[in-house]
Every structure is written in structure tokens, then in C-alpha cells.
Amino acid sequence: MNFAEWGFWQAMLETDEDRKSDKEIEKKYGLKEIVAYEYEDDESQKEAQQRASETPRTRGPVYALDENILEIRCGMLEAKRGLVSIFSITAITMLSLGFLGAAVEAKSLVLLLLRGQSEPYGHHLYLAVLFTSLASLISWFYFKYGFRFTRLEMLTSRHLLIRFNRKTQQVYLHRPSYCGGIVTLPWKGVTSSGSSENTAIADGIGVPLLLYWSPRVTGTLHPEGAWVGKAGNNQTELRDEWEFIRRFMDEGPQGLPRPRITSHFPWPWQAFTPQFEGLTHYFRRASRTTKVGLLLICPAFLIIGLGHWLSLLLCWKPRWPKLIRQAGLPGKPIPPLTTLADRPPHIQERLRANAHLWAMRPGKRPEKKPRRRRGKSEAEPS
């Protein structure tokens, strides 16, 4: 599912009206704006260059690995896809039945008129108009408001991909255009949630490894992020994953364990096994009652897994542009880094208007002043 990436890209293009409503929500629930500082970004980049683990390994899925190329599945909620596909297929099936019913009634009406017999045909006309009107109205609403969510799982690229090129020292993100499109980023300047405790997220439980490029690095007036591989059960797994990537890019594949290469073909087990990514932590520590409850809801996992598989079947294999496929080969050009000028004019306008939202403040974050507690001598007399 590309929901997280789609939402992140929509935030980059948010209008002034939407931002005002967001501020009202933040004020209502007491949420504070997160301010980033250049010093913190520099420290995170330095930590990303250091060794994070002594046992580097990747849990994949890995789609390509050689002397210069490492390609891994990407996406925040990739393991949760399936539910949107079930609702989408249900809606499309109902629309198809509505138009089919209208066609059957229209056929019956035409046959009666051609026979020239005095048989009543009013109910055929009524049903044909009713089915056509309802199906057309629902189709309009679906394609205007619902189809955008269907494309988060169906009729789009089968997977989000991230490709590391050791020869060019670049990272490539393969995403649909409505999630930010295909971009080329520099390896130098990346930060990772697996590099240190300062950048860790939720102790690595239930989330994949996050790679992040600040606006100072991207050159597109907005940050870029990528969730790499499977959801983690702990921070150790994410450190091992990051260390595998870091050593590959900085030192080469020598000495790294050889991962199993996954096929892009949508095999059924590629849809059912991801449902349990990041849940081992809970299974091991769960009580007996919780384990019984998990067994009882197994049919729900099977239904979502079936929707996951259908979504994979209804998508196509992602394909890199020729320039990226040939990057690093002898005599082939190095892909230029993505810049603001590579975006369409209306996208450039929104990114420029929102650039101040992602800009980093210079220097360090000011220290919080300790709150003074009033002593007994300072307390007012009752």
C-alpha cells in the first residue's frame, strides 16, 4: 500500500487553506510544530557514516544484488495492503453488475419493440433507466473520489523500490507519480533510523528502516524519505539492515552474507507472509489468552492476504528508466540528481510556496530552561 508515501507527497503540496485547517487541528489537540536544526542534521549524517552493527544482514525482499547494485522493496505499509483492494474489487463488481442489469433490461426492451407485440414493456424501461442512472451516479462518485485510493494498491506499480548504486554513489527511489515519482538522490547526506539511538523510531517495533534526506541534501526544497524492507521486531533488526546497506555502499559486497533474491512474479506466499511482518515481538511475549485470540482472527489475516495477492496480480512490474538501468556501466552517463526544475511548473509552484515549512534553523537547538518549583518559604500564606 502506498498510503504513507501518498500522504507524505500531499503534505509537500499542501495549499494555504489546507494548512490553516491543519493548524486549527494542532491547536485543538495541543500538538506542537516540530522544528529541525542544522546541527542535528549534521550529527545524524555523521552517525550514519559509522558502524551500527557487527552482524550486517538484510531481511529483504531483495530483487537485485551484484558488485554495484542493491535493490530492495520499499514502502511503509507494504505488508498491510489488501483491505483497499477488497473494497475496490467489491465496488467495481457492484458497478459492473449494475451496468450488466441495465444492458439486460435494455435488450429485453428492444426485443419487445422489434416483435411489435402488445406486451407490456414499462417495467423493462423503468429498470433499464433505474440501473443505468444508479450505476452512472455511483461510478461518477467512485472515479472522482474513490479511484485515487484504489490506485494505492491496484492498477499501479507492483512495489515501491529503492536502488543503491555503489559505482555512482547514488540512491534511486521508484514511486508512482502521485507519490513523488522516480527521483535520484545522493548517498552522501543520508540519515537512517538504524544508525543510532538518537534517530531510532518506536524502538524499531512494527516499522521498517527509514532513510531520510533533508532539504539541505535533496536540492528540491523539500525532504525525501524511504521506508526500506520489512517491518522490524526490534531496533537490532533495523541496525543490521542499515549496516548491510552502509557496508555495501561504502566498502562493497565482499564479506556480506548473500541474501536470497526475490522474484517480481506475484507468487501467493509473497502476499500472505507479509501479514505477519513485525509481529514476532508480540507473539513471543503474548499471554496464552492473546495467542488464542490471534488464532481466532486468523481468517481475517487470510482474507486480507487474498486481497493482497489480488492487488499484486492487478499491478505491473516496476521498470526503471534506461538511464538508471545503465548507471555505473562503462561508458554510460551518470544520472543527474533530481532538482526542482525536473518537476512540472504547478508542482514547482507549490514546493516553493511550502519551502519554509521544511527549512532548517541554523545552529543548535536552544536548551530548555529548567522550571523552578516554588519552595515552602515562597508559598503564599493560606
Side-chain angles (χ1 to χ4, degrees):
M1 183 192 297
N2 305 336
F3 182 79
E5 287 73 18
W6 172 76
F8 182 80
W9 181 240
Q10 293 302 311
M12 300 297 107
L13 308 178
E14 198 172 29
T15 61
D16 296 336
E17 292 76 12
D18 294 335
R19 206 176 314 120
K20 288 180 181 178
S21 61
D22 291 343
K23 289 183 178 179
E24 292 177 357
I25 294 175
E26 292 175 357
K27 185 178 180 180
K28 180 180 179 180
Y29 292 98
L31 302 177
K32 295 183 179 180
E33 182 182 2
I34 300 177
V35 180
Y37 287 82
E38 294 181 353
Y39 176 80
E40 296 173 342
D41 186 47
D42 293 336
E43 290 297 311
S44 298
Q45 293 183 29
K46 292 178 181 178
E47 292 172 345
Q49 298 173 3
Q50 300 172 2
R51 178 169 296 191
S53 170
E54 298 298 331
T55 55
R57 71 183 186 94
T58 176
R59 294 171 299 128
V62 177
Y63 297 107
L65 176 63
D66 57 27
E67 290 294 323
N68 297 319
I69 297 298
L70 171 63
E71 185 174 293
I72 309 178
R73 191 190 75 190
C74 202
M76 174 59 176
L77 299 174
E78 174 67 20
K80 309 304 179 185
R81 67 189 296 175
L83 192 60
V84 173
S85 298
I86 293 174
F87 284 114
S88 298
I89 293 174
T90 302
I92 294 173
T93 301
M94 293 178 63
L95 291 175
S96 301
L97 291 176
F99 283 115
L100 180 61
V104 171
E105 295 298 333
K107 179 181 178 182
S108 300
L109 178 62
V110 171
L111 291 177
L112 286 176
L113 295 176
L114 290 177
R115 288 173 187 170
Q117 300 177 359
S118 59
E119 298 182 17
Y121 60 86
H123 66 288
H124 291 294
L125 178 61
Y126 172 76
L127 291 177
V129 173
L130 178 63
F131 287 154
T132 303
S133 301
L134 289 177
S136 300
L137 181 63
I138 297 174
S139 297
W140 182 83
F141 274 100
Y142 171 70
F143 284 104
K144 184 174 180 61
Y145 300 106
F147 187 67
R148 69 185 68 177
F149 297 103
T150 296
R151 293 210 66 196
L152 297 178
E153 290 190 1
M154 298 166 51
L155 306 177
T156 184
S157 297
R158 187 168 294 144
H159 295 294
L160 303 180
L161 301 178
I162 183 169
R163 171 175 285 205
F164 302 91
N165 192 315
R166 193 172 68 89
K167 193 77 171 180
T168 63
Q169 287 293 292
Q170 291 176 333
V171 182
Y172 313 105
L173 302 183
H174 194 295
R175 304 169 301 190
S177 58
Y178 53 83
C179 293
I182 299 175
V183 297
T184 301
L185 299 166
W187 167 250
K188 185 178 181 181
V190 66
T191 62
S192 167
S193 64
S195 60
S196 68
E197 293 294 338
N198 296 328
T199 55
I201 301 176
D203 201 25
I205 300 176
V207 295
L209 175 71
L210 172 64
L211 303 188
Y212 180 82
W213 290 263
S214 68
R216 303 166 62 201
V217 178
T218 60
T220 55
L221 301 182
H222 69 88
E224 288 282 3
W227 301 89
V228 182
K230 298 179 180 179
N233 293 289
N234 49 62
Q235 185 64 19
T236 301
E237 290 184 347
L238 301 189
R239 287 177 184 168
D240 294 343
E241 187 93 38
W242 165 245
E243 182 62 19
F244 185 93
I245 297 172
R246 189 197 66 80
R247 290 196 193 182
F248 175 84
M249 291 295 288
D250 293 343
E251 304 172 14
Q254 298 79 11
L256 293 176
R258 180 75 181 182
R260 185 176 64 87
I261 304 301
T262 303
S263 170
H264 278 282
F265 187 82
W267 297 106
W269 54 83
Q270 294 182 1
F272 289 94
T273 54
Q275 308 303 320
F276 305 96
E277 289 180 7
L279 296 179
T280 308
H281 172 82
Y282 298 103
F283 289 158
R284 291 175 179 175
R285 301 187 179 184
S287 63
R288 185 173 300 178
T289 304
T290 304
K291 292 180 179 179
V292 173
L294 292 173
L295 290 176
L296 294 177
I297 64 174
C298 277
F301 286 104
L302 295 177
I303 293 174
I304 296 177
L306 179 60
H308 191 153
W309 188 36
L310 291 175
S311 72
L312 294 179
L313 293 174
L314 295 173
C315 292
W316 50 82
K317 176 183 175 181
R319 183 174 176 81
W320 295 98
K322 184 178 180 180
L323 183 62
I324 294 179
R325 294 199 310 268
Q326 296 180 346
L329 298 178
K332 300 300 180 180
I334 297 178
L337 298 177
T338 301
T339 63
L340 185 65
D342 297 325
R343 303 291 187 182
H346 67 284
I347 299 294
Q348 294 184 33
E349 181 181 357
R350 293 308 317 150
L351 293 177
R352 288 193 181 96
N354 294 335
H356 66 282
L357 299 174
W358 326 114
M360 291 188 170
R361 296 185 180 181
K364 295 184 179 182
R365 184 182 300 273
E367 297 182 0
K368 294 183 179 180
K369 296 181 179 180
R371 299 179 61 181
R372 292 184 56 188
R373 294 187 177 182
R374 297 172 63 182
K376 293 183 179 181
S377 59
E378 299 179 5
E380 296 181 0
S382 58

